[in-house]
Amino acid sequence: LTAVSCKNNNEEENVDHSGMDHENMGEGSEMMEGGEQTSEDMPGSENQDSQTGIIVNDYMELKNALVADNSEGAAQAGESLVAAFENFNISGYEAAEQQELTEIIESAKEHADHISYSDMAHQREHFELMSIDMVDMLAITGSPERLYQQFCPMYNNKKGAIWLSTSEEIRNPYFGQNMLSCGEVQKEI
């Protein structure tokens, strides 16, 4: 059972202001006494989850800024995402995954860069494409938390567009306050 609503809804947006530290992201692995490697080198390790978590949190900051029609906040989140993508360490993944992640991250980083200096309409266009990259990236890395893939059927000349959210509640980043609750949950990630 799926419900879609495209009416204007003026409820306040709940914005998550995470206090994650971006300074120590992407540092290399360290050797423990006896030559053991820390979990930073192991696939599926906490470090990789942490790196993915930083990207997801920055993405959510971007989404929330677009929901609030806040172009400046979206630009700042775009800058943070560029840095997070640049610092993402893919060495713990298999060769095929590394190649795919490299392509996904380069694409997403380019979109984040455009978001960092563009107007709201252009930010939303790049957010649409980055959201696809995020879903593709999370298919490889996994998600450090439960996310919901949501869909707006009205965006992009009614072709529709996806985005990710930490909540099942629809808060549309493509139309912001004009059509806040337009959309539906497609799947859980």
Side-chain angles (χ1 to χ4, degrees), residues 38-52 89 92-93 141:
T38 62
S39 64
E40 293 179 357
D41 280 342
M42 297 175 202
S45 73
E46 287 182 26
N47 185 51
Q48 288 172 336
D49 284 348
S50 174
Q51 291 183 91
T52 303
N89 182 356
Y93 295 92
T141 65

Side-chain angles (χ1 to χ4, degrees), residues 4-53:
V4 177
S5 171
C6 292
K7 64 181 179 180
N8 186 4
N9 192 349
N10 290 326
E11 295 176 22
E12 288 186 28
E13 169 65 14
N14 294 326
V15 179
D16 175 30
H17 296 285
S18 174
M20 293 197 83
D21 178 14
H22 295 272
E23 297 293 318
N24 297 320
M25 194 179 95
E27 293 181 4
S29 65
E30 298 175 13
M31 297 295 279
M32 296 174 61
E33 287 184 37
E36 284 184 359
Q37 292 183 333
T38 62
S39 64
E40 293 179 357
D41 280 342
M42 297 175 202
S45 73
E46 287 182 26
N47 185 51
Q48 288 172 336
D49 284 348
S50 174
Q51 291 183 91
T52 303

Side-chain angles (χ1 to χ4, degrees), residues 1 11 15 30 36 70 78 94 102 105 174:
L1 178 64
E11 295 176 22
V15 179
E30 298 175 13
E36 284 184 359
N70 180 350
E94 295 178 14
T102 298
I105 289 169
Y174 297 112

Side-chain angles (χ1 to χ4, degrees), residues 80-93:
S80 294
L81 273 164
V82 168
F85 285 125
E86 285 176 348
N87 291 320
F88 191 83
N89 182 356
I90 62 171
S91 66
Y93 295 92

Side-chain angles (χ1 to χ4, degrees), residues 31-175:
M31 297 295 279
M32 296 174 61
E33 287 184 37
E36 284 184 359
Q37 292 183 333
T38 62
S39 64
E40 293 179 357
D41 280 342
M42 297 175 202
S45 73
E46 287 182 26
N47 185 51
Q48 288 172 336
D49 284 348
S50 174
Q51 291 183 91
T52 303
I54 290 169
I55 289 172
V56 168
N57 284 337
D58 287 345
Y59 173 91
M60 292 304 159
E61 288 291 326
L62 171 58
K63 179 205 54 111
N64 290 337
L66 294 174
V67 165
D69 298 321
N70 180 350
S71 184
E72 185 177 309
Q76 291 171 351
E79 288 176 15
S80 294
L81 273 164
V82 168
F85 285 125
E86 285 176 348
N87 291 320
F88 191 83
N89 182 356
I90 62 171
S91 66
Y93 295 92
E94 295 178 14
E97 292 173 328
Q98 287 182 16
Q99 182 177 351
E100 193 170 351
L101 280 170
T102 298
E103 293 170 10
I104 292 167
I105 289 169
E106 283 304 310
S107 174
K109 187 172 73 172
E110 182 178 329
H111 296 303
D113 183 50
H114 279 271
I115 288 167
S116 72
Y117 62 79
S118 299
D119 63 31
M120 181 67 66
H122 201 62
Q123 287 174 328
R124 286 180 166 137
E125 290 171 9
H126 283 280
F127 179 76
E128 174 189 7
L129 299 170
M130 184 195 301
S131 293
I132 296 167
D133 290 334
M134 288 291 296
V135 169
D136 292 344
M137 184 187 90
L138 293 173
I140 297 169
T141 65
S143 178
E145 62 184 297
R146 177 176 292 147
L147 299 174
Y148 300 92
Q149 180 176 311
Q150 299 178 337
F151 178 77
C152 172
M154 302 300 289
Y155 187 70
N156 195 8
N157 296 318
K158 298 187 179 181
K159 293 178 186 172
I162 63 166
W163 74 93
L164 297 174
S165 179
T166 56
S167 168
E168 289 183 85
E169 184 177 13
I170 301 297
R171 293 284 188 240
N172 189 316
Y174 297 112
F175 292 108

